[in-house]
Amino acid sequence: RALLALCWLTLLCALAPSVFAVDDSTGATTTAHMHTITKAADANAVLAAAQGVKDYVVNLRRQLHRRPELMWREHGTRDVITRELTALGISYEYVSATGVVGTIGTGAKAVGLRADMDALPLTEATASSYKSEIEGVMHACGHDGHVSMLLGAAKILKAKYDADPETFPGVVRLIFQPAEEGGAGAKEMLAPSDGSTGLLMMKPELESVFGLHNWPYPEMPSGTMGTRGGTIMAGSGCFDVNITGRGGHAAVPHNNVDVVVAGSAVVTALQTLVSRLTDPLDSVVI
């Protein structure tokens, strides 16, 4: 999982040409002549750089795994992030209650790399040497890995920038987002409710934001990555259905209102929201 830091860099190198484009002759922005961070988008060099930060990413992930924090309480996690950004010489600012945004590079174009930070209210029942030390809280969704991977990518990107700032084709925002697990942290990072500066107000404006999620399932074996056009992850929503009945004796069922029968019918009928009210090319689960 540590080597998924490669994903951040591969995405940036592969997609940056459409965002950071410079005319060789005039210096004007264009889509005809393009540079990438590596000039030749050398994937092998990117992989070698990712391998070089493997131990750094693994150690960070295990440190964060031991000290998980629930949404909007990620103060210790934020401290680790800012400690590492400071050590790398990367400027940063606080956004929302516990979020952090680091910045590498200069210019008129910007892209973002995003990682979530929060853990879940679960007890870790493993014998791992780096298991959670916080009772009832665990990084069960892998956000400790996401933060570590983004810091690994930051380490490589900053080294690239320091080596040759002139060929670094713009601004990269390193977005560490709190409260992904149901706390609407992304919305707060875009435009904080207290009126402070959010991502939507930062200049230059973000033209694209890239994120990833670990996927420990058989269709994506370890060591692979995947994407697709259009929607790739789902959002979730909740609603309540209240059924009011009237009690009575089983000998006179016609005088009663049986909520069990009504509730059973509702459960079945709700599935028609998928079969009759949703485009058959869309994916919906109730």
Side-chain angles (χ1 to χ4, degrees):
R1 181 151 80 178
L3 292 181
L4 282 177
L6 167 66
C7 294
W8 294 111
L9 299 167
T10 302
L11 281 170
L12 193 58
C13 289
L15 298 173
S18 64
V19 178
F20 302 130
V22 179
D23 188 297
D24 286 328
S25 60
T26 66
T29 301
T30 180
T31 57
H33 301 286
M34 301 176 180
H35 294 298
T36 66
I37 288 175
T38 59
K39 293 185 179 179
D42 187 346
N44 289 328
V46 173
L47 178 59
Q51 293 278 3
V53 299
K54 175 181 177 180
D55 291 342
Y56 173 78
V57 173
V58 169
N59 290 335
L60 269 177
R61 185 256 167 170
R62 292 182 178 181
Q63 177 183 343
L64 293 169
H65 193 83
R66 291 188 183 98
R67 306 295 297 179
E69 296 172 302
L70 298 176
M71 61 180 179
W72 296 126
R73 304 177 190 175
E74 308 95 333
H75 300 285
T77 303
R78 183 179 67 179
D79 289 345
V80 171
I81 292 167
T82 56
R83 180 195 71 197
E84 295 302 314
L85 293 177
T86 299
L88 293 171
I90 297 173
S91 62
Y92 64 85
E93 53 194 297
Y94 297 127
V95 179
S96 78
T98 50
V100 180
V101 176
T103 300
I104 302 174
T106 60
K109 301 283 187 176
V111 296
L113 301 180
R114 172 264 189 191
D116 36 20
M117 304 161 57
D118 52 329
L120 288 165
L122 299 170
T123 297
E124 182 169 1
T126 73
S128 170
S129 62
Y130 52 89
K131 67 179 293 185
S132 172
E133 298 173 357
I134 309 300
E135 185 66 27
V137 184
M138 176 189 177
H139 269 301
C141 201
H143 298 182
D144 51 340
H146 297 168
V147 169
S148 302
M149 287 185 279
L150 183 50
L151 286 170
K155 188 179 181 74
I156 299 171
L157 290 168
K158 184 59 164 61
K160 177 62 182 176
Y161 175 78
D162 289 343
D164 192 355
E166 296 301 318
T167 63
F168 201 86
V171 176
V172 178
R173 305 280 189 203
L174 309 167
I175 304 167
F176 297 90
Q177 177 210 311
E180 188 272 345
E181 299 290 356
K187 181 178 180 181
E188 190 71 9
M189 290 288 284
L190 291 171
S193 55
D194 64 2
S196 59
T197 300
L199 287 166
L200 292 179
M201 292 175 263
M202 292 184 179
K203 302 297 181 182
E205 296 181 359
L206 289 170
E207 296 200 358
S208 301
V209 177
F210 305 110
L212 56 78
H213 205 292
N214 65 81
W215 194 256
Y217 299 104
E219 63 266 42
M220 289 294 296
S222 179
T224 63
M225 60 179 286
T227 188
R228 55 166 286 181
T231 303
I232 193 170
M233 303 296 282
S236 63
C238 300
F239 59 88
D240 296 322
V241 177
N242 297 315
I243 301 172
T244 302
R246 184 173 63 245
H249 198 282
V252 286
H254 58 290
N255 292 330
N256 312 329
V257 177
D258 190 339
V259 294
V260 175
V261 173
S264 300
V266 168
V267 169
T268 302
L270 283 175
Q271 297 304 315
T272 63
L273 293 176
V274 176
S275 64
R276 291 296 177 267
L277 295 176
T278 304
D279 187 320
L281 299 181
D282 291 339
S283 297
V284 176
V285 176
I286 293 180

